[in-house]
Amino acid sequence: MRVFLISTFMNYLSITIKGKCPEDGWDESTIELFLHELAIMDSNNFLGNCGVGEREGRVASGLVARRHYRLIHGIGRSGDISAVQPKAAGSSLLNKLTNSVVLDIIKQAGVRTVANCFVVPMATGMSLTLCFLTLRHKRPKAKYIIWPRIDQKSCFKSMITAGFEPVVIENVLEGDELRTDIEAVEAKIKTLGAENILCVHSTTSCFAPRVPDRLEELAIICANYDIPHIVNNAYGVQSSKCMHLIQQ
């Protein structure tokens, strides 16, 4: 019993203090206990609380409340998803811990130099769109995105939704593989002008016969022309090859 309590306590410390992924996975009862302890830190779950504020979490159905472990209030404030919400201390802590643990997992997966990350409830297309819109503030004159071709609609639609014009670079056949045409990418940059290009949008994880883009060579080109490089690594975290390319 003492050994179990020590092990559980050390796992708690690993997450709550170090923000690291625990060496031993938690059982379901421990996870539920942890979530309940965080939930009672949110103001909407205080005894005698009457939620009347504009951001107070209110749920009519007990079933829905239990399904979400009564983490109802939400996170962030004033448009900053990573900011601590005073009325939702538990939810804010859970958000901070989630980002920290995911950052640790990414490092363990191979990208040791990653500096920061945050988790959002979005899939590939919307995530890419927000990345492009963020870059727009730094490159207001840019209207093109250089994109080595990959036949995935979400990738293509993300550029259109953000208001940019995709410049598709066809891949080249090398043996039985489709590889990035590095020379065509650089030639297109020279033709369009580096200042008119928002970024190079490359991809790691994809269906055969297409293989991951030549990230290292693309990164060198981007550095030479001072152009941002966005890498779509959807489904690639579990691939040591993809993560190695990003680390390089």
Side-chain angles (χ1 to χ4, degrees):
M1 180 65 175
R2 179 177 297 177
V3 173
F4 171 77
L5 290 175
I6 292 175
S7 176
T8 302
F9 178 70
M10 292 305 294
N11 274 333
Y12 261 69
L13 286 180
S14 178
I15 285 187
T16 57
I17 296 180
K18 297 180 181 179
K20 306 289 186 181
C21 187
E23 294 183 7
D24 300 318
W26 292 9
D27 56 53
E28 291 185 2
S29 59
T30 302
I31 295 173
E32 289 182 343
L33 174 61
F34 187 59
L35 291 175
H36 284 307
E37 288 182 348
L38 292 178
I40 61 177
M41 296 169 64
D42 287 2
S43 63
N44 61 284
N45 293 318
F46 290 173
L47 290 176
N49 178 73
C50 181
V52 294
E54 63 172 329
R55 290 180 58 85
E56 295 286 353
R58 296 182 291 275
V59 178
S61 170
L63 176 64
V64 174
R66 290 191 299 273
R67 183 177 186 271
H68 295 279
Y69 297 94
R70 293 182 171 78
L71 293 165
I72 307 302
H73 200 295
I75 58 175
R77 63 182 314 202
S78 301
D80 185 352
I81 194 174
S82 62
V84 174
Q85 169 56 238
K87 294 181 180 180
S91 294
S92 296
L93 176 57
L94 181 59
N95 181 44
K96 296 287 186 182
L97 290 175
T98 299
N99 292 336
S100 182
V101 169
V102 170
L103 180 63
D104 182 53
I105 290 173
I106 293 174
K107 289 182 177 180
Q108 291 186 36
V111 185
R112 305 297 302 178
T113 55
V114 62
N116 202 356
C117 77
F118 64 95
V119 178
V120 288
M122 296 185 298
T124 307
M126 186 57 68
S127 298
L128 286 170
T129 296
L130 291 185
C131 289
F132 299 142
L133 291 175
T134 301
L135 287 180
R136 168 176 282 165
H137 296 287
K138 295 185 177 182
R139 304 176 70 82
K141 295 181 180 180
K143 60 178 181 178
Y144 302 107
I145 295 179
I146 303 294
W147 184 47
R149 177 178 172 179
I150 179 169
D151 294 336
Q152 291 181 347
K153 282 187 176 180
S154 60
C155 305
F156 185 75
K157 290 163 69 175
S158 68
M159 296 180 283
I160 299 295
T161 300
F164 296 97
E165 181 179 332
V167 178
V168 181
I169 305 296
E170 294 292 342
N171 298 296
V172 293
L173 184 63
E174 297 181 7
D176 60 352
E177 297 178 338
L178 289 172
R179 304 300 305 273
T180 313
D181 191 339
I182 295 295
E183 294 181 355
V185 170
E186 187 165 16
K188 187 59 68 173
I189 292 175
K190 292 179 180 179
T191 300
L192 297 175
E195 70 281 0
N196 297 316
I197 298 172
L198 181 79
C199 66
V200 172
H201 174 195
S202 62
T203 309
T204 56
S205 181
C206 47
F207 295 110
R210 193 188 191 284
V211 295
D213 281 324
R214 299 182 184 274
L215 297 194
E216 296 177 61
E217 292 92 330
L218 288 174
I220 292 173
I221 292 175
C222 289
N224 290 338
Y225 291 92
D226 193 25
I227 297 174
H229 184 191
I230 295 289
V231 181
N232 172 15
N233 190 45
Y235 314 108
V237 176
Q238 74 275 18
S239 169
S240 60
K241 175 66 174 179
C242 292
M243 297 301 279
H244 172 75
L245 290 172
I246 292 176
Q247 172 63 28
Q248 290 299 98

PDB file of all heavy atoms in Angstrom, residues 125-152:
ATOM      1  N   GLY A 125      -6.827  21.464 -41.333  1.00  0.00           N
ATOM      2  CA  GLY A 125      -7.121  22.619 -42.162  1.00  0.00           C
ATOM      3  C   GLY A 125      -7.211  23.923 -41.397  1.00  0.00           C
ATOM      4  O   GLY A 125      -6.570  24.915 -41.753  1.00  0.00           O
ATOM      5  N   MET A 126      -7.985  23.955 -40.318  1.00  0.00           N
ATOM      6  CA  MET A 126      -8.144  25.182 -39.548  1.00  0.00           C
ATOM      7  C   MET A 126      -6.851  25.568 -38.842  1.00  0.00           C
ATOM      8  O   MET A 126      -6.535  26.757 -38.708  1.00  0.00           O
ATOM      9  CB  MET A 126      -9.278  25.033 -38.532  1.00  0.00           C
ATOM     10  CG  MET A 126      -9.608  26.315 -37.784  1.00  0.00           C
ATOM     11  SD  MET A 126     -10.028  27.694 -38.878  1.00  0.00           S
ATOM     12  CE  MET A 126     -11.594  27.126 -39.543  1.00  0.00           C
ATOM     13  N   SER A 127      -6.097  24.581 -38.387  1.00  0.00           N
ATOM     14  CA  SER A 127      -4.814  24.874 -37.738  1.00  0.00           C
ATOM     15  C   SER A 127      -3.860  25.559 -38.718  1.00  0.00           C
ATOM     16  O   SER A 127      -3.198  26.542 -38.383  1.00  0.00           O
ATOM     17  CB  SER A 127      -4.185  23.585 -37.209  1.00  0.00           C
ATOM     18  OG  SER A 127      -5.004  22.974 -36.237  1.00  0.00           O
ATOM     19  N   LEU A 128      -3.806  25.043 -39.943  1.00  0.00           N
ATOM     20  CA  LEU A 128      -2.952  25.657 -40.959  1.00  0.00           C
ATOM     21  C   LEU A 128      -3.437  27.064 -41.299  1.00  0.00           C
ATOM     22  O   LEU A 128      -2.640  27.989 -41.456  1.00  0.00           O
ATOM     23  CB  LEU A 128      -2.935  24.788 -42.220  1.00  0.00           C
ATOM     24  CG  LEU A 128      -2.127  23.495 -42.139  1.00  0.00           C
ATOM     25  CD1 LEU A 128      -2.396  22.615 -43.362  1.00  0.00           C
ATOM     26  CD2 LEU A 128      -0.634  23.780 -42.027  1.00  0.00           C
ATOM     27  N   THR A 129      -4.751  27.227 -41.400  1.00  0.00           N
ATOM     28  CA  THR A 129      -5.315  28.543 -41.712  1.00  0.00           C
ATOM     29  C   THR A 129      -4.873  29.588 -40.694  1.00  0.00           C
ATOM     30  O   THR A 129      -4.462  30.699 -41.051  1.00  0.00           O
ATOM     31  CB  THR A 129      -6.849  28.472 -41.749  1.00  0.00           C
ATOM     32  OG1 THR A 129      -7.263  27.605 -42.815  1.00  0.00           O
ATOM     33  CG2 THR A 129      -7.459  29.852 -41.980  1.00  0.00           C
ATOM     34  N   LEU A 130      -4.933  29.242 -39.413  1.00  0.00           N
ATOM     35  CA  LEU A 130      -4.536  30.179 -38.367  1.00  0.00           C
ATOM     36  C   LEU A 130      -3.037  30.483 -38.444  1.00  0.00           C
ATOM     37  O   LEU A 130      -2.615  31.610 -38.147  1.00  0.00           O
ATOM     38  CB  LEU A 130      -4.900  29.626 -36.999  1.00  0.00           C
ATOM     39  CG  LEU A 130      -6.401  29.555 -36.688  1.00  0.00           C
ATOM     40  CD1 LEU A 130      -6.632  29.093 -35.261  1.00  0.00           C
ATOM     41  CD2 LEU A 130      -7.069  30.912 -36.896  1.00  0.00           C
ATOM     42  N   CYS A 131      -2.236  29.489 -38.825  1.00  0.00           N
ATOM     43  CA  CYS A 131      -0.796  29.736 -38.995  1.00  0.00           C
ATOM     44  C   CYS A 131      -0.557  30.753 -40.113  1.00  0.00           C
ATOM     45  O   CYS A 131       0.243  31.687 -39.960  1.00  0.00           O
ATOM     46  CB  CYS A 131      -0.075  28.430 -39.323  1.00  0.00           C
ATOM     47  SG  CYS A 131       0.032  27.272 -37.951  1.00  0.00           S
ATOM     48  N   PHE A 132      -1.263  30.586 -41.227  1.00  0.00           N
ATOM     49  CA  PHE A 132      -1.100  31.508 -42.359  1.00  0.00           C
ATOM     50  C   PHE A 132      -1.568  32.923 -41.987  1.00  0.00           C
ATOM     51  O   PHE A 132      -0.914  33.908 -42.333  1.00  0.00           O
ATOM     52  CB  PHE A 132      -1.878  31.000 -43.578  1.00  0.00           C
ATOM     53  CG  PHE A 132      -1.424  29.650 -44.066  1.00  0.00           C
ATOM     54  CD1 PHE A 132      -2.356  28.714 -44.533  1.00  0.00           C
ATOM     55  CD2 PHE A 132      -0.090  29.294 -44.056  1.00  0.00           C
ATOM     56  CE1 PHE A 132      -1.953  27.478 -44.985  1.00  0.00           C
ATOM     57  CE2 PHE A 132       0.324  28.049 -44.508  1.00  0.00           C
ATOM     58  CZ  PHE A 132      -0.611  27.134 -44.965  1.00  0.00           C
ATOM     59  N   LEU A 133      -2.693  33.013 -41.290  1.00  0.00           N
ATOM     60  CA  LEU A 133      -3.214  34.318 -40.901  1.00  0.00           C
ATOM     61  C   LEU A 133      -2.279  35.025 -39.919  1.00  0.00           C
ATOM     62  O   LEU A 133      -2.159  36.251 -39.923  1.00  0.00           O
ATOM     63  CB  LEU A 133      -4.606  34.164 -40.279  1.00  0.00           C
ATOM     64  CG  LEU A 133      -5.724  33.749 -41.239  1.00  0.00           C
ATOM     65  CD1 LEU A 133      -7.023  33.507 -40.476  1.00  0.00           C
ATOM     66  CD2 LEU A 133      -5.933  34.802 -42.316  1.00  0.00           C
ATOM     67  N   THR A 134      -1.614  34.241 -39.074  1.00  0.00           N
ATOM     68  CA  THR A 134      -0.643  34.820 -38.144  1.00  0.00           C
ATOM     69  C   THR A 134       0.554  35.394 -38.895  1.00  0.00           C
ATOM     70  O   THR A 134       1.039  36.486 -38.578  1.00  0.00           O
ATOM     71  CB  THR A 134      -0.166  33.760 -37.133  1.00  0.00           C
ATOM     72  OG1 THR A 134      -1.291  33.260 -36.401  1.00  0.00           O
ATOM     73  CG2 THR A 134       0.839  34.349 -36.155  1.00  0.00           C
ATOM     74  N   LEU A 135       1.017  34.672 -39.916  1.00  0.00           N
ATOM     75  CA  LEU A 135       2.160  35.151 -40.704  1.00  0.00           C
ATOM     76  C   LEU A 135       1.819  36.409 -41.498  1.00  0.00           C
ATOM     77  O   LEU A 135       2.709  37.197 -41.829  1.00  0.00           O
ATOM     78  CB  LEU A 135       2.638  34.055 -41.662  1.00  0.00           C
ATOM     79  CG  LEU A 135       3.393  32.875 -41.040  1.00  0.00           C
ATOM     80  CD1 LEU A 135       3.792  31.889 -42.120  1.00  0.00           C
ATOM     81  CD2 LEU A 135       4.619  33.352 -40.274  1.00  0.00           C
ATOM     82  N   ARG A 136       0.531  36.592 -41.822  1.00  0.00           N
ATOM     83  CA  ARG A 136       0.123  37.760 -42.611  1.00  0.00           C
ATOM     84  C   ARG A 136       0.531  39.062 -41.914  1.00  0.00           C
ATOM     85  O   ARG A 136       0.885  40.034 -42.577  1.00  0.00           O
ATOM     86  CB  ARG A 136      -1.386  37.727 -42.835  1.00  0.00           C
ATOM     87  CG  ARG A 136      -1.948  39.027 -43.396  1.00  0.00           C
ATOM     88  CD  ARG A 136      -3.427  38.906 -43.684  1.00  0.00           C
ATOM     89  NE  ARG A 136      -3.664  38.191 -44.928  1.00  0.00           N
ATOM     90  CZ  ARG A 136      -4.842  37.683 -45.286  1.00  0.00           C
ATOM     91  NH1 ARG A 136      -5.869  37.790 -44.465  1.00  0.00           N
ATOM     92  NH2 ARG A 136      -4.984  37.065 -46.429  1.00  0.00           N
ATOM     93  N   HIS A 137       0.493  39.087 -40.588  1.00  0.00           N
ATOM     94  CA  HIS A 137       0.857  40.303 -39.857  1.00  0.00           C
ATOM     95  C   HIS A 137       2.330  40.650 -40.046  1.00  0.00           C
ATOM     96  O   HIS A 137       2.707  41.820 -39.992  1.00  0.00           O
ATOM     97  CB  HIS A 137       0.548  40.126 -38.367  1.00  0.00           C
ATOM     98  CG  HIS A 137      -0.906  39.957 -38.074  1.00  0.00           C
ATOM     99  ND1 HIS A 137      -1.810  40.987 -38.140  1.00  0.00           N
ATOM    100  CD2 HIS A 137      -1.632  38.855 -37.724  1.00  0.00           C
ATOM    101  CE1 HIS A 137      -3.015  40.547 -37.842  1.00  0.00           C
ATOM    102  NE2 HIS A 137      -2.934  39.256 -37.588  1.00  0.00           N
ATOM    103  N   LYS A 138       3.156  39.631 -40.253  1.00  0.00           N
ATOM    104  CA  LYS A 138       4.586  39.869 -40.442  1.00  0.00           C
ATOM    105  C   LYS A 138       4.945  40.115 -41.898  1.00  0.00           C
ATOM    106  O   LYS A 138       5.984  40.719 -42.182  1.00  0.00           O
ATOM    107  CB  LYS A 138       5.377  38.670 -39.908  1.00  0.00           C
ATOM    108  CG  LYS A 138       5.271  38.460 -38.413  1.00  0.00           C
ATOM    109  CD  LYS A 138       6.173  37.330 -37.945  1.00  0.00           C
ATOM    110  CE  LYS A 138       6.121  37.172 -36.429  1.00  0.00           C
ATOM    111  NZ  LYS A 138       7.023  36.109 -35.950  1.00  0.00           N
ATOM    112  N   ARG A 139       4.088  39.652 -42.821  1.00  0.00           N
ATOM    113  CA  ARG A 139       4.363  39.796 -44.247  1.00  0.00           C
ATOM    114  C   ARG A 139       3.115  40.327 -44.963  1.00  0.00           C
ATOM    115  O   ARG A 139       2.456  39.600 -45.720  1.00  0.00           O
ATOM    116  CB  ARG A 139       4.824  38.466 -44.845  1.00  0.00           C
ATOM    117  CG  ARG A 139       6.036  37.864 -44.138  1.00  0.00           C
ATOM    118  CD  ARG A 139       6.416  36.506 -44.694  1.00  0.00           C
ATOM    119  NE  ARG A 139       6.968  36.576 -46.025  1.00  0.00           N
ATOM    120  CZ  ARG A 139       8.247  36.869 -46.295  1.00  0.00           C
ATOM    121  NH1 ARG A 139       9.088  37.151 -45.305  1.00  0.00           N
ATOM    122  NH2 ARG A 139       8.687  36.898 -47.544  1.00  0.00           N
ATOM    123  N   PRO A 140       2.757  41.590 -44.728  1.00  0.00           N
ATOM    124  CA  PRO A 140       1.491  42.135 -45.246  1.00  0.00           C
ATOM    125  C   PRO A 140       1.421  42.206 -46.767  1.00  0.00           C
ATOM    126  O   PRO A 140       0.325  42.234 -47.335  1.00  0.00           O
ATOM    127  CB  PRO A 140       1.441  43.540 -44.621  1.00  0.00           C
ATOM    128  CG  PRO A 140       2.864  43.880 -44.316  1.00  0.00           C
ATOM    129  CD  PRO A 140       3.498  42.584 -43.938  1.00  0.00           C
ATOM    130  N   LYS A 141       2.567  42.228 -47.455  1.00  0.00           N
ATOM    131  CA  LYS A 141       2.566  42.323 -48.917  1.00  0.00           C
ATOM    132  C   LYS A 141       2.422  40.956 -49.593  1.00  0.00           C
ATOM    133  O   LYS A 141       2.137  40.886 -50.791  1.00  0.00           O
ATOM    134  CB  LYS A 141       3.858  42.987 -49.398  1.00  0.00           C
ATOM    135  CG  LYS A 141       4.021  44.440 -48.965  1.00  0.00           C
ATOM    136  CD  LYS A 141       5.310  45.021 -49.515  1.00  0.00           C
ATOM    137  CE  LYS A 141       5.485  46.468 -49.091  1.00  0.00           C
ATOM    138  NZ  LYS A 141       6.754  47.041 -49.631  1.00  0.00           N
ATOM    139  N   ALA A 142       2.619  39.901 -48.835  1.00  0.00           N
ATOM    140  CA  ALA A 142       2.637  38.555 -49.420  1.00  0.00           C
ATOM    141  C   ALA A 142       1.237  38.097 -49.819  1.00  0.00           C
ATOM    142  O   ALA A 142       0.249  38.374 -49.130  1.00  0.00           O
ATOM    143  CB  ALA A 142       3.239  37.567 -48.431  1.00  0.00           C
ATOM    144  N   LYS A 143       1.159  37.416 -50.966  1.00  0.00           N
ATOM    145  CA  LYS A 143      -0.129  36.869 -51.403  1.00  0.00           C
ATOM    146  C   LYS A 143      -0.019  35.446 -51.946  1.00  0.00           C
ATOM    147  O   LYS A 143      -1.024  34.840 -52.289  1.00  0.00           O
ATOM    148  CB  LYS A 143      -0.752  37.763 -52.459  1.00  0.00           C
ATOM    149  CG  LYS A 143       0.067  37.949 -53.727  1.00  0.00           C
ATOM    150  CD  LYS A 143      -0.687  38.832 -54.715  1.00  0.00           C
ATOM    151  CE  LYS A 143       0.087  39.032 -56.015  1.00  0.00           C
ATOM    152  NZ  LYS A 143      -0.684  39.847 -56.987  1.00  0.00           N
ATOM    153  N   TYR A 144       1.206  34.904 -52.001  1.00  0.00           N
ATOM    154  CA  TYR A 144       1.396  33.552 -52.525  1.00  0.00           C
ATOM    155  C   TYR A 144       1.915  32.612 -51.438  1.00  0.00           C
ATOM    156  O   TYR A 144       2.610  33.023 -50.505  1.00  0.00           O
ATOM    157  CB  TYR A 144       2.390  33.548 -53.680  1.00  0.00           C
ATOM    158  CG  TYR A 144       2.021  34.431 -54.847  1.00  0.00           C
ATOM    159  CD1 TYR A 144       2.704  35.618 -55.089  1.00  0.00           C
ATOM    160  CD2 TYR A 144       0.984  34.081 -55.710  1.00  0.00           C
ATOM    161  CE1 TYR A 144       2.377  36.435 -56.156  1.00  0.00           C
ATOM    162  CE2 TYR A 144       0.639  34.892 -56.778  1.00  0.00           C
ATOM    163  CZ  TYR A 144       1.342  36.068 -56.995  1.00  0.00           C
ATOM    164  OH  TYR A 144       1.000  36.876 -58.046  1.00  0.00           O
ATOM    165  N   ILE A 145       1.578  31.334 -51.575  1.00  0.00           N
ATOM    166  CA  ILE A 145       2.146  30.274 -50.738  1.00  0.00           C
ATOM    167  C   ILE A 145       2.716  29.199 -51.656  1.00  0.00           C
ATOM    168  O   ILE A 145       1.989  28.643 -52.493  1.00  0.00           O
ATOM    169  CB  ILE A 145       1.088  29.658 -49.806  1.00  0.00           C
ATOM    170  CG1 ILE A 145       0.590  30.691 -48.796  1.00  0.00           C
ATOM    171  CG2 ILE A 145       1.669  28.443 -49.072  1.00  0.00           C
ATOM    172  CD1 ILE A 145      -0.483  30.160 -47.852  1.00  0.00           C
ATOM    173  N   ILE A 146       4.001  28.949 -51.528  1.00  0.00           N
ATOM    174  CA  ILE A 146       4.645  27.894 -52.317  1.00  0.00           C
ATOM    175  C   ILE A 146       4.303  26.555 -51.688  1.00  0.00           C
ATOM    176  O   ILE A 146       4.560  26.322 -50.506  1.00  0.00           O
ATOM    177  CB  ILE A 146       6.175  28.083 -52.352  1.00  0.00           C
ATOM    178  CG1 ILE A 146       6.543  29.468 -52.905  1.00  0.00           C
ATOM    179  CG2 ILE A 146       6.823  26.981 -53.177  1.00  0.00           C
ATOM    180  CD1 ILE A 146       6.180  29.666 -54.348  1.00  0.00           C
ATOM    181  N   TRP A 147       3.749  25.655 -52.493  1.00  0.00           N
ATOM    182  CA  TRP A 147       3.206  24.406 -51.944  1.00  0.00           C
ATOM    183  C   TRP A 147       3.576  23.201 -52.812  1.00  0.00           C
ATOM    184  O   TRP A 147       2.947  22.981 -53.857  1.00  0.00           O
ATOM    185  CB  TRP A 147       1.686  24.539 -51.846  1.00  0.00           C
ATOM    186  CG  TRP A 147       0.974  23.382 -51.217  1.00  0.00           C
ATOM    187  CD1 TRP A 147       1.294  22.743 -50.062  1.00  0.00           C
ATOM    188  CD2 TRP A 147      -0.219  22.737 -51.698  1.00  0.00           C
ATOM    189  NE1 TRP A 147       0.386  21.751 -49.786  1.00  0.00           N
ATOM    190  CE2 TRP A 147      -0.550  21.739 -50.767  1.00  0.00           C
ATOM    191  CE3 TRP A 147      -1.028  22.932 -52.806  1.00  0.00           C
ATOM    192  CZ2 TRP A 147      -1.669  20.915 -50.936  1.00  0.00           C
ATOM    193  CZ3 TRP A 147      -2.142  22.116 -52.966  1.00  0.00           C
ATOM    194  CH2 TRP A 147      -2.460  21.116 -52.050  1.00  0.00           C
ATOM    195  N   PRO A 148       4.584  22.414 -52.416  1.00  0.00           N
ATOM    196  CA  PRO A 148       4.830  21.143 -53.105  1.00  0.00           C
ATOM    197  C   PRO A 148       3.564  20.292 -53.043  1.00  0.00           C
ATOM    198  O   PRO A 148       3.034  20.043 -51.960  1.00  0.00           O
ATOM    199  CB  PRO A 148       5.982  20.521 -52.302  1.00  0.00           C
ATOM    200  CG  PRO A 148       6.686  21.697 -51.696  1.00  0.00           C
ATOM    201  CD  PRO A 148       5.591  22.676 -51.372  1.00  0.00           C
ATOM    202  N   ARG A 149       3.104  19.861 -54.187  1.00  0.00           N
ATOM    203  CA  ARG A 149       1.777  19.260 -54.303  1.00  0.00           C
ATOM    204  C   ARG A 149       1.567  18.042 -53.411  1.00  0.00           C
ATOM    205  O   ARG A 149       2.402  17.151 -53.316  1.00  0.00           O
ATOM    206  CB  ARG A 149       1.533  18.850 -55.760  1.00  0.00           C
ATOM    207  CG  ARG A 149       0.191  18.148 -55.962  1.00  0.00           C
ATOM    208  CD  ARG A 149      -0.036  17.789 -57.414  1.00  0.00           C
ATOM    209  NE  ARG A 149      -1.222  16.967 -57.559  1.00  0.00           N
ATOM    210  CZ  ARG A 149      -1.688  16.507 -58.726  1.00  0.00           C
ATOM    211  NH1 ARG A 149      -1.058  16.825 -59.850  1.00  0.00           N
ATOM    212  NH2 ARG A 149      -2.770  15.761 -58.763  1.00  0.00           N
ATOM    213  N   ILE A 150       0.425  18.046 -52.740  1.00  0.00           N
ATOM    214  CA  ILE A 150      -0.072  16.869 -52.036  1.00  0.00           C
ATOM    215  C   ILE A 150      -1.586  16.888 -52.171  1.00  0.00           C
ATOM    216  O   ILE A 150      -2.230  17.923 -51.984  1.00  0.00           O
ATOM    217  CB  ILE A 150       0.355  16.829 -50.556  1.00  0.00           C
ATOM    218  CG1 ILE A 150      -0.235  15.587 -49.879  1.00  0.00           C
ATOM    219  CG2 ILE A 150      -0.042  18.094 -49.815  1.00  0.00           C
ATOM    220  CD1 ILE A 150       0.321  15.317 -48.510  1.00  0.00           C
ATOM    221  N   ASP A 151      -2.176  15.790 -52.540  1.00  0.00           N
ATOM    222  CA  ASP A 151      -3.607  15.748 -52.848  1.00  0.00           C
ATOM    223  C   ASP A 151      -4.451  15.531 -51.589  1.00  0.00           C
ATOM    224  O   ASP A 151      -5.060  14.479 -51.386  1.00  0.00           O
ATOM    225  CB  ASP A 151      -3.887  14.648 -53.879  1.00  0.00           C
ATOM    226  CG  ASP A 151      -3.237  14.968 -55.220  1.00  0.00           C
ATOM    227  OD1 ASP A 151      -2.985  16.151 -55.482  1.00  0.00           O
ATOM    228  OD2 ASP A 151      -2.960  14.028 -55.989  1.00  0.00           O
ATOM    229  N   GLN A 152      -4.477  16.548 -50.755  1.00  0.00           N
ATOM    230  CA  GLN A 152      -5.335  16.564 -49.572  1.00  0.00           C
ATOM    231  C   GLN A 152      -6.111  17.882 -49.571  1.00  0.00           C
ATOM    232  O   GLN A 152      -5.520  18.955 -49.551  1.00  0.00           O
ATOM    233  CB  GLN A 152      -4.498  16.436 -48.288  1.00  0.00           C
ATOM    234  CG  GLN A 152      -3.851  15.067 -48.123  1.00  0.00           C
ATOM    235  CD  GLN A 152      -3.053  14.964 -46.830  1.00  0.00           C
ATOM    236  OE1 GLN A 152      -2.795  15.964 -46.181  1.00  0.00           O
ATOM    237  NE2 GLN A 152      -2.658  13.757 -46.489  1.00  0.00           N
TER     238      GLN A 152
END
